[in-house]
Amino acid sequence: MLELVELSKKFKQLYAVKSLNMFVERGEIIGLLGPNGAGKSTAISMISSLAAPTAGDVRFHNKSILKNAGEFREIVGMVPQEIALYTDLTAEENLQFFGRMYRLKGSILKSKIEEILHLVGLTERRKDVVKTFSGGMKRRLNIGVALLHNPELIIMDEPTVGIDPQSRNYILETVKRLNQERDMTVIYTSHYMEEVEFLCDRIYIMDQGNLIASGTNEEIKRILSAEKTILIKGEQLNDQFISSLQEHPLVNRITTADKQVTLMVAKEVSMFAELTKLAEQAGIDLTSVHNKTPTLEDVFLHLTGRALRD
Ligand SMILES: Nc1ncnc2c1ncn2[C@@H]1O[C@H](COP(=O)(O)OP(=O)(O)OP(=O)(O)O)[C@@H](O)[C@H]1O
């Protein structure tokens, strides 16, 4: 359905996106995962024909969208990171306004608005002006606007950043429903790996403009088949303990967070006795040590040596 071919965008000396290849089949939910600045927004601005590539092509049903941007916009819905709504208008008035821009009118527009208000859970707040809405409600309405013209493909740029957990769950469930009930194809960007794990059939992981891994959840996690992750918890994990692990020959990688340390070691390595000894030497108590099921976050750490949320 959609194919990116060696797609690149350069800003002065910096490649925001470098030679990105990607394909999307009809009915898939594709995740584009990466930390801030990875190039996700730049990639989807090119996909939605809002920005011109420096090199490469975007093909939709085998046709370059670079030459057919107008036609392509009719079949794609874009949910930008920034909220694009009129805050002095009500939810319903916003939908009417954007609906007319898509040349919808009369009873068709009316029933479409009913359907969308219901879909994004805002029927009861339809008459309220948008400036009284929470961040999550604004984002839900923003998604509604992108769905007005029945797009075949919807592209969402980090739609859950900075909103309350309830709205976040609502949005995730709505995306799933759109996909399952209406066979909508979705490209979903995020730096939350758990969202992408929950939603997506296939995932592309980007870092600093480059594609560093792609595949299904399981395929990507198989990258870690030679390693395992150990999660260590303790009340006072001091500098001595952490540096003894950083310098340890059996430890491939380490990340630290409040009261916990995560190690990546070769699959066959058992660190238990070693950890007890190092804790004793550092004069601390460990509250728990256990092997962790790998996550996409671990894959990212493995591939880049940095945490996804740095
Ligand atoms: N218009 C621009 N001019 C110059 N540099 C830009 C421009 N837009 C993006 N960049 C740079 O390109 C890189 C990729 O940015 P982009 O916004 O695509 O990343 P992202 O993965 O979407 O991150 P975020 O989650 O913060 O939106 C960054 O280094 C950014 O500073």
Side-chain angles (χ1 to χ4, degrees):
M1 178 188 204
L2 183 80
E3 196 184 359
L4 313 191
V5 187
E6 296 291 316
L7 194 66
S8 300
K9 179 84 183 176
K10 206 172 170 188
F11 294 110
K12 295 199 177 127
Q13 294 312 309
L14 175 102
Y15 270 104
V17 173
K18 196 166 182 194
S19 302
L20 179 62
N21 290 299
M22 186 170 154
F23 69 92
V24 182
E25 302 287 4
R26 194 187 166 88
E28 280 191 311
I29 307 186
I30 295 295
L32 196 51
L33 182 71
N36 290 332
K40 306 180 298 296
S41 298
T42 306
I44 63 170
S45 313
M46 291 189 282
I47 300 174
S48 48
S49 75
L50 296 174
T54 311
D57 198 4
V58 181
R59 293 188 194 136
F60 192 67
H61 293 310
N62 293 324
K63 242 178 162 178
S64 172
I65 65 156
L66 306 179
K67 294 172 205 111
N68 306 285
E71 198 182 308
F72 182 66
R73 282 195 201 122
E74 302 264 311
I75 34 186
V76 171
M78 171 76 184
V79 184
Q81 218 172 83
E82 302 296 324
I83 304 280
L85 297 167
Y86 291 96
T87 53
D88 286 323
L89 299 183
T90 66
E92 193 169 0
E93 286 164 347
N94 267 281
L95 291 170
Q96 274 161 355
F97 175 81
F98 288 105
R100 284 192 202 107
M101 283 194 14
Y102 287 121
R103 298 188 292 279
L104 299 174
K105 51 190 176 205
S107 58
I108 294 179
L109 176 59
K110 204 161 165 252
S111 72
K112 196 75 207 165
I113 289 174
E114 292 302 323
E115 177 198 325
I116 283 180
L117 285 169
H118 178 71
L119 183 78
V120 297
L122 289 173
T123 306
E124 313 235 302
R125 301 292 302 267
R126 62 193 301 157
K127 301 279 180 208
D128 293 339
V129 287
V130 167
K131 64 183 165 205
T132 65
F133 282 10
S134 69
M137 289 161 71
K138 286 182 194 155
R139 283 203 186 257
R140 273 147 56 190
L141 186 58
N142 221 25
I143 295 173
V145 167
L147 294 169
L148 273 163
H149 60 305
N150 276 332
E152 270 182 60
L153 168 72
I154 184 155
I155 304 174
M156 301 177 137
D157 194 3
E158 306 204 30
T160 59
V161 164
I163 60 172
D164 58 285
Q166 211 183 338
S167 283
R168 185 178 174 204
N169 287 342
Y170 197 96
I171 288 176
L172 294 177
E173 292 298 338
T174 307
V175 175
K176 261 238 142 84
R177 262 192 299 138
L178 282 169
N179 174 255
Q180 285 170 353
E181 292 169 16
R182 304 185 183 201
D183 198 29
M184 194 169 282
T185 310
V186 183
I187 299 179
Y188 188 98
T189 85
S190 180
H191 58 261
Y192 297 122
M193 42 91 199
E194 65 276 13
E195 288 190 353
V196 167
E197 275 187 291
F198 169 74
L199 277 179
C200 301
D201 301 306
R202 286 189 304 113
I203 301 157
Y204 288 79
I205 305 184
M206 289 184 75
D207 185 42
Q208 298 177 344
N210 296 300
L211 182 66
I212 57 166
S214 65
T216 63
N217 216 330
E218 291 312 312
E219 281 167 355
I220 291 182
K221 285 183 191 166
R222 249 179 259 142
I223 294 172
L224 291 182
S225 59
E227 284 190 326
K228 70 177 174 190
T229 307
I230 302 172
L231 184 66
I232 305 160
K233 292 190 177 167
E235 284 301 311
Q236 294 139 342
L237 300 175
N238 58 21
D239 291 348
Q240 183 185 336
F241 180 68
I242 289 168
S243 47
S244 68
L245 290 172
Q246 280 165 338
E247 287 154 17
H248 200 285
L250 292 177
V251 174
N252 296 346
R253 281 181 187 77
I254 169 167
T255 48
T256 55
D258 186 34
K259 296 179 186 166
Q260 74 174 48
V261 177
T262 309
L263 303 182
M264 289 185 118
V265 298
K267 196 144 226 158
E268 63 284 358
V269 164
S270 168
M271 287 288 288
F272 193 76
E274 192 66 7
L275 288 170
T276 316
K277 189 181 93 190
L278 294 174
E280 236 175 70
Q281 285 171 354
I284 57 164
D285 289 323
L286 301 180
T287 48
S288 73
V289 174
H290 65 263
N291 290 342
K292 194 165 119 318
T293 316
T295 62
L296 295 178
E297 181 99 45
D298 299 325
V299 178
F300 190 81
L301 177 67
H302 169 86
L303 292 169
T304 66
R306 288 176 293 110
L308 194 51
R309 287 172 210 198
D310 273 357

